[in-house]
């Protein structure tokens, strides 16, 4: 999260008490990846690499201010919190898309508490109508290594056991980060790792094709 970013990437992140509480609240619910970034980094990356991605909003903020956004996700820490929540439901088997329901409710509540009604936008990984490449956000924010061939995001501490849930864009400046994005995370995969990942991806695609026959 924020503290992890400050420690590993070396960005100057002056923690606002509200933002610290936001990250801590989400971590208790199993959303233990809270990565701040400047919208300018993502938008510039998409243009530079000619990616078919819509830009994230800036709320008409001056370009020199940047626009603060946060990538939210989880490691395996999500599962105990999620299972406790599911077990507490009156009829767990009746809950539609229980994991998405849980993460959306937790994140929405935390964002509402953080913003207090101020302008913001939430882009959900489940909403294909407003596509944001969470993997590219993780790349440009210095959170993960991105393997273009397998499309895996590799976290320095969690490895491939990361899942992204949402990007929250806030009507707030991001000038604290400076004009340039942090250094990219170096490749964390050996040649053997890459070969295994390619084989696993190919097997998964074959299984999917067979299931659709």
């Amino acid at each position: 999260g924020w503290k992890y970013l400050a420690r590993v990437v070396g960005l100057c992140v002056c923690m606002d008490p509200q933002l610290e509480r936001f990250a801590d609240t989400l971590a208790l619910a199993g959303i233990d990846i809270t990565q701040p970034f400047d919208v300018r980094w993502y938008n510039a990356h998409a243009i530079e690499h000619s990616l078919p991605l819509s830009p994230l909003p800036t709320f008409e903020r001056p370009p020199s201010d940047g626009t603060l956004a946060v990538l939210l996700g989880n490691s395996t820490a999500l599962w105990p919190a999620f299972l406790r929540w599911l077990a507490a439901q009156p009829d767990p088997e009746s809950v539609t898309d229980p994991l998405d329901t849980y993460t959306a409710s937790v994140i929405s509540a935390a964002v509402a508490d953080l913003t207090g009604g101020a302008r913001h936008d939430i882009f959900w990984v489940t909403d294909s109508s407003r596509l944001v490449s969470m993997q590219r956000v993780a790349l440009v924010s210095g959170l993960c290594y991105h393997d273009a061939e397998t499309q895996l995001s590799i976290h320095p501490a969690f490895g491939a056991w990361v899942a992204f849930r949402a990007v929250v864009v806030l009507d707030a400046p991001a000038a604290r980060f400076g004009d340039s994005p942090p250094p990219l995370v170096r490749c964390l995969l050996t040649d053997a790792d890459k070969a295994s990942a390619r084989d696993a991806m190919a097997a998964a695609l074959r299984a999917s094709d067979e299931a659709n026959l």
Side-chain angles (χ1 to χ4, degrees), residues 119-188:
R119 283 200 302 176
H120 66 279
D121 204 348
I122 305 178
F123 294 83
W124 301 99
V125 71
T126 53
D127 185 359
S128 59
S129 68
R130 301 204 307 158
L131 180 64
V132 173
S133 174
M134 309 278 170
Q135 289 85 356
R136 297 286 178 164
V137 173
L139 171 69
V140 299
S141 66
L143 177 70
C144 292
Y145 168 72
H146 176 71
D147 183 67
E149 187 171 359
T150 61
Q151 295 301 309
L152 287 175
S153 290
I154 312 297
H155 190 279
F158 305 135
W161 289 99
V162 291
F164 303 122
R165 303 296 171 184
V167 164
V168 181
V169 182
L170 305 168
D171 187 6
R176 71 183 74 180
F177 298 137
D179 292 328
S180 300
L184 300 181
V185 176
R186 63 177 179 81
C187 179
L188 300 171

Side-chain angles (χ1 to χ4, degrees), residues 38 49 75 93 135 137 141 153 199 205 207:
D38 189 333
H49 295 275
S75 67
E93 293 186 2
Q135 289 85 356
V137 173
S141 66
S153 290
D199 291 345
L205 290 173

Side-chain angles (χ1 to χ4, degrees), residues 60-78:
E60 299 83 43
R61 302 196 66 84
S64 59
D65 280 1
T67 305
L68 181 62
V70 187
L71 172 65
L72 302 177
N74 61 272
S75 67
T76 56
L78 175 68

Side-chain angles (χ1 to χ4, degrees), residues 3-211:
K3 296 174 183 175
Y4 179 87
L5 178 73
R7 182 172 68 251
V8 175
V9 178
L11 292 179
C12 179
V13 180
C14 302
M15 283 292 292
D16 180 281
Q18 286 181 299
L19 292 173
E20 189 166 9
R21 185 174 72 244
F22 176 68
D24 289 345
T25 297
L26 287 172
L28 289 173
I31 308 297
D32 58 339
I33 294 175
T34 309
Q35 182 79 343
F37 66 98
D38 189 333
V39 161
R40 292 178 297 180
W41 304 344
Y42 175 81
N43 290 350
H45 179 83
I47 293 171
E48 179 184 352
H49 295 275
S50 302
L51 301 175
L53 299 169
S54 299
L56 287 170
T58 61
F59 297 113
E60 299 83 43
R61 302 196 66 84
S64 59
D65 280 1
T67 305
L68 181 62
V70 187
L71 172 65
L72 302 177
N74 61 272
S75 67
T76 56
L78 175 68
W79 298 110
F82 165 66
L83 292 174
R84 285 194 299 270
W85 171 85
L86 187 61
Q89 302 308 301
D91 184 5
E93 293 186 2
S94 70
V95 180
T96 303
D97 298 323
L99 185 59
D100 291 339
T101 298
Y102 171 72
T103 55
S105 64
V106 165
I107 290 170
S108 296
V111 171
D113 181 61
L114 171 68
T115 61
R119 283 200 302 176
H120 66 279
D121 204 348
I122 305 178
F123 294 83
W124 301 99
V125 71
T126 53
D127 185 359
S128 59
S129 68
R130 301 204 307 158
L131 180 64
V132 173
S133 174
M134 309 278 170
Q135 289 85 356
R136 297 286 178 164
V137 173
L139 171 69
V140 299
S141 66
L143 177 70
C144 292
Y145 168 72
H146 176 71
D147 183 67
E149 187 171 359
T150 61
Q151 295 301 309
L152 287 175
S153 290
I154 312 297
H155 190 279
F158 305 135
W161 289 99
V162 291
F164 303 122
R165 303 296 171 184
V167 164
V168 181
V169 182
L170 305 168
D171 187 6
R176 71 183 74 180
F177 298 137
D179 292 328
S180 300
L184 300 181
V185 176
R186 63 177 179 81
C187 179
L188 300 171
L189 298 174
T190 65
D191 290 342
D193 291 334
K194 290 183 179 181
S196 296
R198 284 195 299 269
D199 291 345
M201 185 71 69
L205 290 173
R206 284 195 301 271
S208 178
D209 289 342
E210 292 170 1

